Amino acid sequence: MKQTIEISGRECLLYNESCEPQVLLIQTLGAQERESIDSEVAMIREMIAANPVRQKASFVMAAIAISDWEVELTPWHDRAVSKRQAVGEHAFDTLDDITQSLIPYLQERFGHLPVVLGGYSLGGLFARWAASKAECFEAVAAVSPSLWIDAWCGFSDVHAVYARYVYLSLGDREEHTRNKAFAQVGDNMRWEHEHLKQVLGPDNTTLEWNTGNHFVDGARRTAKGFAWCINKIVNSPEK
């Protein structure tokens, strides 16, 4: 079932995969993601159904519209992202819309289920940043995240991670670029993964390398991230 709702003035596409879902998924939805979100949800369903571990899972996906990708998702100003002054000033507004409006709506409708926040590119950066700013996310899927942003490692080093599970992925060609800012993403991702292994434990985080550059197969990469998070949550030894 797919329907369109409005949350805090934002359009939100809601995919209800089950009468009794076990996990709530939230994804930031830009123009590019909008073109592939239907197929992405189908891929998530296929991936968790094919998982060989003991318990399958069902989910609800809420894809919340982002009208200005840079302004609404960038956690602080970096001229390598944009020279616009507003960039870096409104990520907390987006996070508030998710935590204060969208999640309460979903929990009232479907129950107090574990929440996974995910996104691609700046959406992935936002998801990972949000894991250190809000305690309501059980897991995050940071897919090809823009961890090349200035001072990322310093931020991560001094801020706690509230999520229990963190999925990271990157294309194996993304760091091979002439842009000096973007070229840092590989080393920053390796650092982040080692850091999260220390903070969360090696079984609660992963870094997956995908074939290609930043613009290859984004929907499938994102689906893989959500599927990993779902399977971790549903098949946790504490379940």
Side-chain angles (χ1 to χ4, degrees), residues 28-123:
T28 47
L29 186 72
Q32 186 169 344
E33 289 76 16
R34 184 182 293 272
E35 295 176 359
S36 59
I37 187 66
D38 288 355
S39 60
E40 179 192 316
V41 171
M43 284 187 280
I44 297 171
R45 187 190 315 119
E46 292 168 1
M47 289 173 185
I48 61 176
N51 188 50
V53 294
R54 63 184 181 276
Q55 185 176 343
K56 304 305 185 234
S58 56
F59 63 91
V60 167
M61 162 69 85
I64 186 167
I66 304 296
S67 58
D68 191 318
W69 201 243
E70 295 172 346
V71 169
E72 296 175 47
L73 298 179
T74 307
W76 55 79
H77 190 71
D78 182 352
R79 289 176 64 85
V81 177
S82 174
K83 296 179 181 179
R84 292 186 293 163
Q85 187 58 43
V87 172
E89 296 181 353
H90 296 284
F92 273 110
D93 297 333
T94 306
L95 184 59
D96 283 345
D97 287 346
I98 292 171
T99 59
Q100 303 302 315
S101 298
L102 178 56
I103 291 177
Y105 169 86
L106 295 173
Q107 291 182 332
E108 180 177 358
R109 182 167 173 179
F110 300 106
H112 286 261
L113 303 174
V115 179
V116 181
L117 176 65
Y120 194 87
S121 191
L122 282 176

Side-chain angles (χ1 to χ4, degrees), residues 68-193:
D68 191 318
W69 201 243
E70 295 172 346
V71 169
E72 296 175 47
L73 298 179
T74 307
W76 55 79
H77 190 71
D78 182 352
R79 289 176 64 85
V81 177
S82 174
K83 296 179 181 179
R84 292 186 293 163
Q85 187 58 43
V87 172
E89 296 181 353
H90 296 284
F92 273 110
D93 297 333
T94 306
L95 184 59
D96 283 345
D97 287 346
I98 292 171
T99 59
Q100 303 302 315
S101 298
L102 178 56
I103 291 177
Y105 169 86
L106 295 173
Q107 291 182 332
E108 180 177 358
R109 182 167 173 179
F110 300 106
H112 286 261
L113 303 174
V115 179
V116 181
L117 176 65
Y120 194 87
S121 191
L122 282 176
L125 169 66
F126 175 82
R128 172 58 191 89
W129 169 80
S132 292
K133 291 297 178 179
E135 300 182 27
C136 53
F137 303 114
E138 180 75 0
V140 298
V143 184
S144 286
S146 304
L147 297 194
W148 49 262
I149 191 173
D150 183 49
W152 171 261
C153 293
F155 169 86
S156 179
D157 193 37
V158 299
H159 288 81
V161 181
Y162 297 116
R164 184 177 178 187
Y165 305 106
V166 176
Y167 173 93
L168 304 169
S169 75
L170 198 68
D172 60 9
R173 300 300 302 167
E174 293 194 48
E175 63 185 318
H176 300 288
T177 173
R178 294 180 181 179
N179 185 304
K180 292 182 179 179
F182 296 173
Q184 300 177 88
V185 70
D187 287 341
N188 284 5
M189 287 288 283
R190 295 180 188 93
W191 182 92
E192 178 70 9
H193 183 222

